[in-house]
Amino acid sequence: MPELPEVEVISRGLARSLEGRTVESVKILNHGSVKMPWHVFASRVAGRTISAIRRRGKLLIMDLGENLHVTFHLKMTGRVIAHEEAATPQKHTRLIFGLTDGGSIEFHDTRKFGEVRALTDEELGDWKFYRTLGPEPLETSPEALAEAVSGKKARIKSLLLNQSVVAGVGNIYADESLFRSGVHPTAKACDLSHDSLVKLFTELQKVLKQAIDENGSSIRDYVDSGGDAGSFQNSFKVYGKKGEPCPCCQGILDCSTVAGRTSTYCNKCQKLCD
DNA sequence: AAAGTAGCCTGGAAGC
DNA sequence: TGCTTCCAGGCTACTT
């Protein structure tokens, strides 16, 4: 589902088409998607002009002028789609912003896990999830990221998925970067050498960049802001390939739950310690 | 400090 | 065919 590369691609697409346009109306079709009093949300957003659209970790942020930020956490199935006409609500449409020029922005979310907020600077800063987000993996050196987890007793995969350690990594890119760097998901960070950790974060950067270049991964629900699918799913080496041969040693890929998530890996190629 | 689990939610796939 | 169950995923809250 949308992880860093997918949110980055969506953000770039929306920025191109939406910056400078003005929200006229707000229609909330599922109140549970709006994580604040809905009338406050609607009154804050209406009449404001979109000044920027950006990403922080997996959060999609729409800046509405000086002191208002609409945040979308897409979780598993959320989509934000820009339309050049008034959007017709679909079964899973949760929110629609009508624009003054006749266009619209639709928040579509099959499983209702997604969360939308409209926050002032102060509220954004006070939001614990946002305040404690870790560094952006593409704007931080692999050495610095390695240093951040060095010596920790936790399993490396749970650290990769921890948004306060590094922002934006989810199950797909965790499994892919672990495989590509030869590190086992259950390895404890403290059992890995500095070089192995640097290699892991170097591979993480490579895999995130490649995924952005390929417009993200499309499995199940993901499409970009123009409704198009990405293609990085064709480059997966282990994610979702339980029981298939390891691309490296041809052994059968293993699968188990690590850090509460399904994890696919090669027991032979991925090491538990140095 | 870290790990496990339930809960949130839906629909597609798998099993019977 | 039609039913039930399982699973996926990010994150929080709670327990061990």
Side-chain angles (χ1 to χ4, degrees):
Chain A
M1 331 298 233
E3 299 184 27
L4 187 154
E6 292 75 32
V7 180
E8 179 67 26
V9 171
I10 292 168
S11 159
R12 290 179 187 179
L14 292 174
R16 268 198 305 276
S17 61
L18 292 177
E19 282 174 8
R21 298 169 73 177
T22 300
V23 178
E24 183 173 63
S25 62
V26 177
K27 186 169 190 173
I28 301 172
L29 294 103
N30 177 58
H31 291 256
S33 300
V34 177
K35 298 295 173 182
M36 60 189 293
W38 64 270
H39 53 283
V40 175
F41 178 87
S43 67
R44 283 182 176 184
V45 171
R48 306 284 297 243
T49 296
I50 300 166
S51 48
I53 294 181
R54 58 200 170 91
R55 177 194 63 74
R56 173 78 172 98
K58 296 174 200 172
L59 270 189
L60 179 67
I61 304 175
M62 189 181 290
D63 295 321
L64 298 179
E66 286 290 296
N67 189 25
L68 191 67
H69 314 279
V70 174
T71 64
F72 295 89
H73 196 312
L74 306 178
K75 296 285 181 92
M76 263 85 71
T77 56
R79 304 183 197 173
V80 178
I81 307 154
H83 299 280
E84 287 310 313
E85 64 290 332
T88 307
Q90 308 296 309
K91 185 176 179 187
H92 303 302
T93 300
R94 309 305 182 193
L95 178 68
I96 295 172
F97 292 148
L99 304 177
T100 54
D101 57 18
S104 59
I105 304 169
E106 175 190 5
F107 177 61
H108 183 283
D109 183 27
T110 307
R111 290 178 219 180
K112 298 183 181 174
F113 273 24
E115 301 181 349
V116 186
R117 295 170 171 81
L119 305 173
T120 63
D121 289 344
E122 190 183 9
E123 289 165 344
L124 187 61
D126 285 344
W127 182 16
K128 192 185 171 210
F129 174 78
Y130 184 85
R131 194 181 64 232
T132 60
L133 276 176
E136 284 291 329
L138 292 177
E139 293 166 19
T140 310
S141 70
E143 289 75 14
L145 293 166
E147 191 56 39
V149 300
S150 169
K152 296 209 183 247
K153 291 177 187 166
R155 291 167 168 180
I156 191 67
K157 178 155 177 178
S158 77
L159 293 167
L160 282 175
L161 293 175
N162 185 332
Q163 300 301 297
S164 67
V165 171
V166 53
V169 181
N171 207 28
I172 295 173
Y173 299 101
D175 274 8
E176 289 295 318
S177 58
L178 285 164
F179 176 79
R180 289 164 205 235
S181 57
V183 175
H184 199 284
T186 63
K188 292 181 176 183
C190 60
D191 290 335
L192 297 167
S193 65
H194 179 73
D195 284 355
S196 288
L197 292 172
V198 170
K199 168 84 172 153
L200 169 62
F201 287 109
T202 302
E203 290 301 317
L204 176 64
Q205 289 189 340
K206 281 162 66 177
V207 87
L208 293 174
K209 282 181 190 163
Q210 189 191 341
I212 292 170
D213 287 344
E214 296 184 20
N215 284 316
S217 304
S218 290
I219 40 180
R220 300 189 184 86
D221 304 277
Y222 170 77
V223 289
D224 67 22
S225 59
D228 295 321
S231 64
F232 188 71
Q233 67 279 6
N234 300 320
S235 303
F236 290 166
K237 291 187 187 292
V238 292
Y239 178 81
K241 295 188 180 291
K242 171 193 179 183
E244 294 184 34
C246 167
C248 193
C249 76
Q250 313 307 317
I252 297 300
L253 293 174
D254 289 285
C255 180
S256 67
T257 299
V258 180
R261 309 267 165 54
T262 299
S263 304
T264 310
Y265 50 88
C266 175
N267 257 325
K268 217 180 280 182
C269 298
Q270 294 176 252
K271 65 191 173 193
L272 281 160
C273 63
D274 281 301

